[in-house]
């Protein structure tokens, strides 16, 4: 009987130890750059879809300037997705995304949501992706991640400005989007992209 009990204890101990090891491995797991690229690709496409829907709601509520901003940023996110997809293909894989219809609330609530999302991307998500791309010496992924992160910082600034003075954004506004890296700005006096250094001709106007 004692032998059976000891055997049972040893078996339970082995199972518990294995569970602890699995849990620890999950905690220590670091996603590869390929995995990060695919996640970023999906995230950017989802953002594009969301911002297009938010633009329509802003138009409905009479915030034409916010609608213009959402349309410009939607285009920027699409450019990021395309850049990430190229980096995925360069690694011999394919980028596939299942994008669902986003929940749309009031324009003020939508702005609050995107500010939180852009803040996370700029301060947490992309810095981690960049760190891993550096570790793997993946130059193309690094450039794609850095371009997206720089743009997200600009988006965060623009969305914050709109949220603070929402009633001042009822008139339609115009924005420029770099077709190479997605940089988004209201500065029509720029001569080249501050991130990728492409000329002014690379920018497209959205309003």
């Amino acid at each position: 009987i004692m032998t059976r009990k000891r055997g049972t204890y040893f078996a339970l101990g082995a199972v518990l130890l294995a569970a602890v090891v699995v849990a620890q491995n999950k905690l220590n797991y670091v996603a590869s750059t390929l995995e990060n690229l695919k996640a970023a690709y999906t995230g950017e496409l989802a953002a594009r879809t969301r911002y297009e829907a938010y633009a329509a709601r802003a138009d409905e509520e009479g915030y034409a300037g916010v609608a213009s901003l959402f349309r410009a940023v939607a285009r920027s996110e699409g450019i990021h997705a395309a850049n990430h997809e190229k980096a995925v293909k360069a690694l011999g894989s394919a980028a596939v995304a299942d994008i669902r219809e986003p929940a749309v609330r009031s324009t003020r609530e939508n702005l609050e949501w995107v500010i939180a999302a852009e803040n996370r991307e700029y301060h947490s998500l992309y810095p981690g992706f960049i760190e891993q791309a550096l570790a793997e010496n993946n130059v193309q992924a690094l450039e794609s991640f850095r371009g997206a992160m720089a743009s997200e910082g600009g988006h965060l600034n623009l969305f914050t400005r709109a949220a603070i003075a929402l009633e001042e954004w009822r008139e339609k506004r115009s924005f420029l989007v770099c077709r190479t890296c997605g940089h988004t700005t209201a500065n029509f006096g720029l001569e080249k992209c501050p991130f990728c250094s492409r000329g002014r001709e690379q920018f497209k106007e959205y309003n």
Side-chain angles (χ1 to χ4, degrees):
I1 296 176
M2 289 298 296
T3 302
R4 289 180 181 177
K5 286 185 177 181
R6 286 177 181 174
T8 301
Y9 292 152
F10 285 141
L12 288 173
V15 170
L16 289 173
L17 179 59
V20 169
V21 170
V22 169
Q24 188 63 44
N25 286 339
K26 287 184 178 179
L27 289 174
N28 295 333
Y29 178 75
V30 177
S32 68
T33 291
L34 178 58
E35 291 173 306
N36 291 339
L37 282 167
K38 290 182 176 182
Y41 171 76
T42 299
E44 298 291 357
L45 284 185
R48 183 183 67 181
T49 301
R50 174 173 280 106
Y51 294 164
E52 288 171 346
Y54 286 0
R57 176 54 55 86
D59 271 330
E60 291 173 3
E61 295 182 350
Y63 294 108
V66 179
S68 300
L69 176 57
F70 275 131
R71 280 190 286 271
V73 175
R75 175 53 183 156
S76 174
E77 306 293 23
I79 291 169
H80 298 160
N83 290 338
H84 295 335
E85 183 178 22
K86 290 176 184 176
V88 168
K89 288 182 177 179
L91 291 172
S93 189
V96 180
D98 179 17
I99 307 302
R100 300 179 181 180
E101 185 176 345
V104 181
R105 299 177 178 82
S106 70
T107 295
R108 184 174 295 281
E109 290 174 307
N110 292 338
L111 282 170
E112 291 173 354
W113 193 97
V114 300
I115 287 170
E118 297 283 348
N119 185 67
R120 174 177 172 271
E121 289 182 7
Y122 181 66
H123 289 105
S124 178
L125 189 70
Y126 275 116
F129 288 174
I130 288 170
E131 182 179 0
Q132 184 60 27
L134 279 169
E136 295 182 27
N137 195 30
N138 189 319
V139 176
Q140 185 172 356
L142 188 60
E143 182 177 345
S144 188
F145 288 149
R146 282 177 170 169
M149 188 179 85
S151 294
E152 307 305 355
H155 299 165
L156 177 59
N157 179 267
L158 289 167
F159 284 138
T160 300
R161 286 165 53 190
I164 290 174
L166 183 56
E167 291 306 313
E168 297 177 13
W169 286 67
R170 288 193 175 275
E171 296 297 322
K172 182 175 289 188
R173 300 192 180 201
S174 295
F175 299 91
L176 294 174
V177 178
C178 176
R179 287 179 285 187
T180 299
C181 70
H183 176 68
T184 309
T185 180
N187 177 18
F188 279 73
L190 57 73
E191 296 182 355
K192 65 179 181 179
C193 179
F195 179 76
C196 69
S197 299
R198 300 298 197 280
R200 174 68 170 76
E201 69 278 0
Q202 283 290 314
F203 283 80
K204 185 174 180 179
E205 181 177 347
Y206 291 87
N207 50 42

